[in-house]
Amino acid sequence: MSLPADGHLIIVGAGLAGYHAARGVRHHGHRGPITIFGEETRSAYDRPALSKAYLTGAVAEEDLLLDDPENPLEADWVSGLGVVGLSGSPDGTEPLGVHTADGSFHPADAVVITTGASARTLPAASAEPTAAEKTAAVRPYVLRSMDDALALRDAPLSGASVAVLGGGFLALEAAATCTQRGAAAVIVAAGEENPGAKRLGTPVGRAIRAAHEAHGVRFAPPARAQAVRSTLNGHEVLLADGSTVEAQVVICAIGASPRTEWLLGSGVSLTEDTSAVLCDDTGATVVPGVYAAGDCAQWASHSSGLRPVGHWQEAVEEAAVVAAALTDAEPASLQEPYFWSDQFDLRIQGAGRIHLADTTTVLEGSAAEGSLLVSCTRDGEEIGILGINRLRDVTRWRKKRRIRSTAPALAA
Ligand SMILES: Cc1cc2nc3c(=O)[nH]c(=O)nc-3n(C[C@H](O)[C@H](O)[C@H](O)COP(=O)(O)OP(=O)(O)OC[C@H]3O[C@@H](n4cnc5c(N)ncnc54)[C@H](O)[C@@H]3O)c2cc1C
């Protein structure tokens, strides 16, 4: 179902995918009203710098704003108001619209769900909160929103001992920025010997570990963090092998879960394992007129392993595909999946279907040189490239492999 040219589009979630979906429908000539609900009171902003340059103070909040002041998006931004329910049914009999936290109902001709994800946390070590756990001051930090990053930016990191839980890019970026902010000791509980090796292959995992160790970061035994206990001096983290890590500051970066709690009991289907919104490869859900994109959504090509979830480029591309579907425009062409991460002086980039590779082969460079180019293959065919400080090579590979097919064709 496409959106009538003068119809009302409601976007739930004023983040990256929501902004780009709105830009996309305007680009395709949509003339009707667009309302974007965001539960945060801030103007929509971009997240990648929150674990990097924003934490070190190199960029300010206004540098991260998504909208272009020279060419502002023509939309009604409703900030500080969460959406609590969706109306609409697979058979189209229920009126389409959303319920907001102030008790109002807002009818719509189409709804795009872009509510992103929330940071996962670890359970407390004991059922009864300790005295320290009752005070907000000593809670582990997470990194998802500007408020989270602001809290960590204001934390007394200089001279502190810091434990970072998680072995993904967010955790490693946080470890790097805490080191740069003068933490006395930074230890990463990554859950594996070489962080990222399971996803990116051993050469890259080793190179990442070596770069962090060269800056004084230590790594806990390769056991997952299971629980956190707050003490009067900080925290004690319990690892799966029974060992513990003590630190004054704990940053929990163990992944994110789709923000779809407000959709429970609604007409859309959620995945059993992650509760992401289940969509086809145009972002359409089972409710006519309701689409989803970005970190809250699981498209068919995600389910089949063809594309990864949780990356910046994925959210932007999905928003473009949804905008085209809503306006009956030519479907946007997709690039190969792509991500990047900045840690100390490393720019790590990955392009292609790295998550499906069965073999990784070093083409050039080494961890010692701080420069590495790795080919990712499956059944002998190159399906991805990984680079550490190899911007030109990765860019060249992406240009060569630009996919010209449409999103539905990709999932076929
Ligand atoms: C700290 C950090 C660093 C990152 N760094 C990188 C990187 O280096 N490279 C990379 O490729 N990717 C990176 N990413 C991932 C990338 O930023 C995300 O994939 C992207 O932001 C997803 O966009 P989204 O619109 O789906 O979700 P979001 O950007 O999270 O936006 C969702 C918005 O919806 C709002 N919302 C949620 N529920 C409701 C509701 N019920 N009602 C109203 N509003 C609601 C939220 O408050 C939020 O503002 C990073 C992510 C984070 C958090």
Side-chain angles (χ1 to χ4, degrees):
M1 190 197 101
S2 59
L3 175 67
D6 55 357
H8 182 202
L9 172 64
I10 286 184
I11 295 178
V12 187
L16 184 67
Y19 171 72
H20 281 279
R23 272 275 174 217
V25 294
R26 285 285 183 238
H27 172 77
H28 293 306
H30 180 66
R31 298 186 306 270
I34 301 176
T35 308
I36 307 177
F37 289 104
E39 63 174 11
E40 294 181 73
T41 48
R42 304 167 186 285
S43 301
Y45 57 88
D46 213 6
R47 284 165 210 268
L50 296 183
S51 49
K52 315 175 186 68
Y54 181 77
L55 270 193
T56 55
V59 299
E61 182 172 342
E62 52 271 26
D63 301 321
L64 307 184
L65 297 182
L66 285 169
D67 204 8
D68 177 0
E70 315 253 298
N71 174 26
L73 175 68
E74 209 189 307
D76 296 323
W77 295 92
V78 185
S79 307
L81 185 60
V83 171
V84 293
L86 172 76
S87 172
S89 52
D91 62 6
T93 53
E94 219 178 273
L96 197 58
V98 299
H99 300 273
T100 46
D102 60 358
S104 318
F105 177 69
H106 309 263
D109 294 296
V111 175
V112 181
I113 300 167
T114 55
T115 42
S118 57
R120 273 190 217 132
T121 52
L122 282 179
S126 50
E128 270 302 302
T130 61
E133 277 161 359
K134 287 180 187 154
T135 69
V138 290
R139 279 196 195 125
Y141 292 89
V142 293
L143 270 174
R144 179 74 204 182
S145 66
M146 179 86 73
D147 282 345
D148 297 336
L150 198 55
L152 189 55
R153 206 176 68 167
D154 291 346
L157 292 176
S158 182
S161 58
V162 178
V164 183
L165 315 184
F169 286 148
L170 204 60
L172 294 157
E173 288 169 358
T177 35
C178 289
T179 307
Q180 288 160 340
R181 290 266 315 273
V186 177
I187 184 161
V188 179
E192 57 182 328
E193 191 75 38
N194 296 302
K198 276 187 209 125
R199 285 169 296 124
L200 311 174
T202 305
V204 173
R206 279 205 188 121
I208 292 174
R209 179 168 179 145
H212 279 258
E213 284 178 337
H215 286 88
V217 174
R218 289 181 303 123
F219 287 84
R224 279 171 179 268
Q226 290 203 313
V228 185
R229 174 185 299 131
S230 293
T231 63
L232 289 176
N233 300 324
H235 304 272
E236 189 178 55
V237 182
L238 275 66
L239 304 185
D241 65 359
S243 61
T244 56
V245 171
E246 284 182 22
Q248 289 161 312
V249 173
V250 170
I251 302 169
C252 195
I254 55 169
S257 307
R259 286 287 312 273
T260 54
E261 65 288 345
W262 64 281
L263 290 165
L264 289 172
S266 74
V268 299
S269 304
L270 304 180
T271 59
E272 267 180 32
D273 50 350
T274 61
S275 293
V277 183
L278 209 48
C279 307
D280 69 11
D281 268 337
T282 64
T285 69
V286 291
V287 177
V290 178
Y291 292 74
D295 287 4
C296 68
Q298 179 154 318
W299 288 25
S301 49
H302 300 140
S303 323
S304 59
L306 274 169
R307 298 187 71 85
V309 201
H311 295 152
W312 189 94
Q313 182 187 287
E314 196 63 20
V316 173
E317 291 199 352
E318 286 174 12
V321 172
V322 166
L326 281 168
T327 52
D328 283 336
E330 184 73 15
S333 63
L334 294 179
Q335 297 183 49
E336 288 278 6
Y338 170 75
F339 61 81
W340 78 96
S341 173
D342 296 319
Q343 299 164 30
F344 296 112
D345 47 2
L346 305 186
R347 156 98 8 155
I348 303 160
Q349 294 170 292
R353 291 144 205 216
I354 288 160
H355 54 292
L356 298 179
D358 55 31
T359 311
T360 50
T361 311
V362 175
L363 298 177
E364 281 173 33
S366 66
E369 293 166 63
S371 163
L372 197 64
L373 191 65
V374 173
S375 168
C376 304
T377 53
R378 183 181 177 90
D379 299 330
E381 184 202 344
E382 187 170 74
I383 56 168
I385 195 93
L386 278 161
I388 296 185
N389 292 340
R390 304 296 294 229
L391 269 65
R392 201 174 298 160
D393 296 294
V394 176
T395 305
R396 206 177 296 138
W397 194 93
R398 292 178 73 201
K399 276 196 186 144
K400 210 169 64 191
R401 301 290 293 253
R402 185 168 272 236
I403 299 174
R404 288 283 164 211
S405 60
T406 62
L410 185 72

